[in-house]
């Protein structure tokens, strides 16, 4: 099965976090910033479940599907 988070020793790896529900439907149909908010809320839940916070995050990667949407809002 797929796991969004894997802990190895003291390191927690989180990946594949997107703004889709379990059925594959988009949760935030508005702007990129709305979709990002949904993603960060999901990451917060994962971090909390592993007794971590955003202060513990070392690196993140963003992979936009449409660079035309990648602009300051």
């Amino acid at each position: 099965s797929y796991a969004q988070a894997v802990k190895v020793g003291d390191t927690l790896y989180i990946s594949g976090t997107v703004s889709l529900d379990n059925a594959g439907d988009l949760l935030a149909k508005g702007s990129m910033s709305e979709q990002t908010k949904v993603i960060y809320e999901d990451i917060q839940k994962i971090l909390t479940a592993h007794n971590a916070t955003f202060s513990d995050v070392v690196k993140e990667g963003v992979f936009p599907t449409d660079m035309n949407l990648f602009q300051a809002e």
Side-chain angles (χ1 to χ4, degrees):
S1 71
Y2 177 78
Q4 279 186 304
V6 176
K7 189 169 186 177
V8 179
D10 290 333
T11 304
L12 179 66
Y13 297 92
I14 301 172
S15 66
T17 308
V18 297
S19 60
L20 301 176
D21 63 15
N22 290 335
D25 295 321
L26 191 61
L27 291 172
K29 295 185 179 175
S31 67
M32 185 173 173
S33 63
E34 290 173 16
Q35 291 180 25
T36 302
K37 182 178 182 230
V38 169
I39 291 168
Y40 276 100
E41 289 169 353
D42 192 28
I43 292 171
Q44 178 65 59
K45 291 175 190 173
I46 296 167
L47 290 169
T48 300
H50 289 87
N51 298 315
T53 69
F54 279 106
S55 295
D56 299 305
V57 174
V58 176
K59 180 183 177 185
E60 68 178 287
V62 177
F63 302 98
T65 58
D66 183 349
M67 286 303 293
N68 292 321
L69 301 174
F70 195 68
Q71 60 185 349
E73 293 187 23

